Amino acid sequence: MAAKRKKKIGSQPESLGTPSRWRLQHGGFSEPIREADPETGSPVQHRRAVDTLGMMLANGTITQEMHDAGGYFRALFRRAALDGMSRSPLIRLPGKTADALSERNMDARRKVAEALDALGGHESAAGSCAWYVVGLEMSVREWAMRQGWGGRPVAPPQAQGMLVATLSVLAGHFGLVPRTRAA
C-alpha cells in the first residue's frame, strides 16, 4: 500500500501583493498608491512605510533642523554599514579581503562615533535612542519597550521626549542651528 500524503489545511501562502506579517509588525503602511512606472509605463502599486521623523515634523513636535539632523545621521549610519546584515560577494578573489570597508565607510563611522560622543556616548539615553530609533529606524515605542535605556524599558511618552532631545543635540552637533553663547 502506498502511503497517502496529507494536505496541510489552513496554511494559505501569504499574498505577494501586500507587506508580510513580519513587516507589518514593525510599523504601518499607507494605502497603496497606483501609478505608472516612469520607464515602462506599466501600472505599479507603491506602499509607503511610516516615517517617524516625518510624522513628528508634520505634527510640529520637531523643527526642520531636527528632522534634517536625523536624516543626516541616518544617512551616515547607512554609509557606515552599521544597519544591515553583513554581505559576502558571490565571487571571492584569492588573496583579497572580502569584508574590507572603503575609506568612505570608515569616514562615516568616524562621524557616527563623533555624533554619539556629542550625545553622551553609546550607552547614554540619547546615544541609544540615536542608534536604534534614528539609525536602525526602530519605532519609538519598540525601542522604549525592548531596548530602552540601560536595558530597562521606558514609557513611550518619555521615549518620544528622549528622541526630541536627541535630535536637538544632533542638530547642534551637525551645525544646523546656531549655537548661543552664555554671557
Side-chain angles (χ1 to χ4, degrees):
M1 265 195 213
K4 291 185 180 181
R5 293 186 183 180
K6 291 185 180 181
K7 253 188 171 177
K8 287 187 178 181
I9 299 174
S11 64
Q12 298 290 328
E14 288 189 54
S15 169
L16 297 177
T18 61
S20 68
R21 287 186 303 241
W22 178 87
R23 179 60 186 98
L24 287 173
Q25 77 183 2
H26 294 286
F29 279 87
S30 66
E31 288 299 314
I33 301 168
R34 193 170 175 88
E35 44 188 44
D37 185 337
E39 293 180 12
T40 63
S42 59
V44 293
Q45 282 188 348
H46 297 283
R47 293 181 184 271
R48 308 264 186 249
V50 175
D51 178 24
T52 302
L53 298 181
M55 285 177 43
M56 291 176 77
L57 179 64
N59 292 338
T61 309
I62 61 173
T63 64
Q64 183 65 48
E65 292 82 9
M66 293 173 169
H67 180 269
D68 294 346
Y72 184 67
F73 183 85
R74 182 180 297 151
L76 282 174
F77 199 83
R78 287 181 186 157
R79 191 176 313 134
L82 297 170
D83 65 336
M85 294 188 317
S86 58
R87 295 172 293 280
S88 220
L90 295 175
I91 300 174
R92 293 189 183 250
L93 300 174
K96 297 289 182 181
T97 304
D99 299 322
L101 292 172
S102 69
E103 187 60 35
R104 183 177 174 208
N105 298 124
M106 293 305 294
D107 185 49
R109 284 187 179 203
R110 279 191 283 282
K111 289 179 180 178
V112 167
E114 289 169 3
L116 290 174
D117 285 344
L119 293 168
H122 68 279
E123 291 184 1
S124 69
S128 175
C129 186
W131 185 275
Y132 289 98
V133 178
V134 182
L136 292 175
E137 299 183 62
M138 185 181 282
S139 74
V140 176
R141 179 178 292 274
E142 186 178 10
W143 170 74
M145 295 305 187
R146 284 183 152 186
Q147 180 64 31
W149 177 39
R152 295 182 305 269
V154 176
Q158 291 172 333
Q160 186 172 5
M162 288 176 169
L163 177 59
V164 171
T166 298
L167 294 171
S168 178
V169 172
L170 285 175
H173 173 72
F174 293 134
L176 299 174
V177 292
R179 295 182 186 209
T180 58
R181 293 187 180 193

